[in-house]
Amino acid sequence: MLTKQRLRAVQNDSNVCADIEGFDFNAYDAHDIEELRRFWLQYGVLRFKKTGITDAQQVEFSRHFGEFVIHPKQKQEGGHPTHPEILVISNAMKDGKPSGAMGNSEATWHTDTWFYERPPAGAILRGVTVPASGGDTYFLSTYSAFETLPDALRKGTDGRQIFFQNVYDKTGKLRLGKSEPGSQDFREWTGVVHPLVRIHGETGRKALYLGGTTEGAWIVGLPLDESAALLADLWDHTTGKQEVFVQKWDEGDIMMWDNRCTMHRRDGFDPSLIRIMHRTTTAGERPV
């Protein structure tokens, strides 16, 4: 009788990611899922190498980590033909139209759908077709970003809230269901207000929460110039000085990240190369 391999997490050369060994996507139980959740909360990002699983297996696996969230792009070009839970991220074309979201351009540092009242808790991204080079994904810890703030910057975040407009996306396009605003002052547009430092709903740890861009973001109560200066310093500290993990993709790799305490970005890549990724997203709590 074969003995089941012990599930374990092996930390990478970063403060934010661990490789998972001993997990069988064809035969796992509630204890395995409990262990994975413990590792996920501990590290923030988990990597599963060359899994070879199907879309149906990804959906079933993801179901154990919360209710599904439908990304706005899933209602547009990123919808999956048979699994509505999956966001297709692809630069491939079909019948002259994009077969997925995002294309081949760079994706700058962000947390997913930061402009929601309840941003997702986590995401599970699987490499289906990956180019030989380009399209690397980077991760950093926003726990670490907060914990390493210089005293002056930390004092500047105390008790502060941050407003994010939700009318335009990062490319300047109107978001689905939104209309052109009547004011030039983005603070008067529709949006959400979140704490600048959020407390993780499961670990209780504090993490810096910057969303996805300084444009259309305002630290509530500050004059715009002071807000912009503070946000610039916080972004520089977070994305310019933090330890970063770089994922260079193989087909079948899965990256699973906690959206409440990490940020990520993606390199652009040669448009003549095809990159197809399938992502599932799980619901989170309102930041406090």
Side-chain angles (χ1 to χ4, degrees), residues 209-272:
Y209 197 67
L210 297 177
T213 177
T214 57
E215 295 183 10
W218 170 54
I219 299 178
V220 178
L222 290 184
L224 274 178
D225 58 343
E226 292 183 24
S227 171
L230 178 54
L231 284 173
D233 287 343
L234 292 172
W235 271 90
D236 178 65
H237 168 79
T238 300
T239 64
K241 299 179 176 63
Q242 293 306 301
E243 190 174 318
V244 172
F245 173 75
V246 184
Q247 161 65 359
K248 295 183 179 296
W249 291 90
D250 287 315
E251 289 187 5
D253 285 359
I254 288 176
M255 300 302 294
M256 175 178 174
W257 65 88
D258 190 330
N259 195 51
R260 298 163 291 187
C261 60
T262 65
M263 297 179 77
H264 58 281
R265 60 168 293 265
R266 184 193 79 178
D267 282 340
F269 56 96
D270 186 333
S272 68

Side-chain angles (χ1 to χ4, degrees), residues 5-16:
Q5 184 178 351
R6 184 172 67 87
L7 178 62
R8 65 182 188 138
V10 180
Q11 186 166 355
N12 287 297
D13 295 330
S14 78
N15 61 2
V16 73

Side-chain angles (χ1 to χ4, degrees), residues 270-286:
D270 186 333
S272 68
L273 304 175
I274 298 300
R275 183 181 189 270
I276 302 173
M277 317 293 283
H278 286 180
R279 193 182 101 181
T280 41
T281 309
T282 58
E285 68 276 12
R286 199 187 196 291

